Amino acid sequence: DQIVISEVLHLQPLRNRIAEGMRRDHGQVGQTERRRGTLGSKPVLAGIRIPVDTVRRYLQAGRSTAAVLEAYPDLTEADIEAVRRNMVA
């Protein structure tokens, strides 16, 4: 006793909007920020929601840049270097 309505949904425009929203601004690479309402206002890598502390723990555990990039493919080497600079400061 159920009715099935056959309708085709064109999802490509939605996929395009999502992909566009996920792109980082080139100026954000290698930067950290605190955004109100994002992860309790903890420092994150700019443009993405990966916490600086998470990357810092990987580096303190002796993991290489390649290992961090493998675990977090959205990161760049510049992001990891930004975290390293903050560890020294």
Side-chain angles (χ1 to χ4, degrees):
D1 292 336
Q2 295 180 355
I3 298 173
V4 176
I5 299 173
S6 177
E7 185 173 337
V8 175
L9 299 175
H10 299 286
L11 298 177
Q12 194 57 46
L14 180 60
R15 286 186 187 115
N16 292 342
R17 284 183 48 205
I18 291 170
E20 186 65 33
M22 291 173 47
R23 286 197 183 109
R24 283 174 83 184
D25 183 349
H26 212 50
Q28 294 175 319
V29 174
Q31 302 293 320
T32 61
E33 66 183 359
R34 287 180 189 251
R35 285 185 285 169
R36 188 175 199 186
T38 301
L39 295 175
S41 300
K42 293 180 182 176
V44 295
L45 289 151
I48 50 181
R49 293 178 52 141
I50 298 174
V52 171
D53 285 340
T54 300
V55 177
R56 182 179 295 130
R57 283 194 302 265
Y58 266 73
L59 295 173
Q60 287 174 339
R63 303 265 170 82
S64 67
T65 298
V68 177
L69 290 173
E70 184 178 330
Y72 296 96
D74 291 335
L75 292 178
T76 65
E77 288 187 24
D79 293 323
I80 296 169
E81 289 306 314
V83 172
R84 279 196 174 108
R85 283 193 306 270
N86 288 336
M87 286 172 62
V88 174

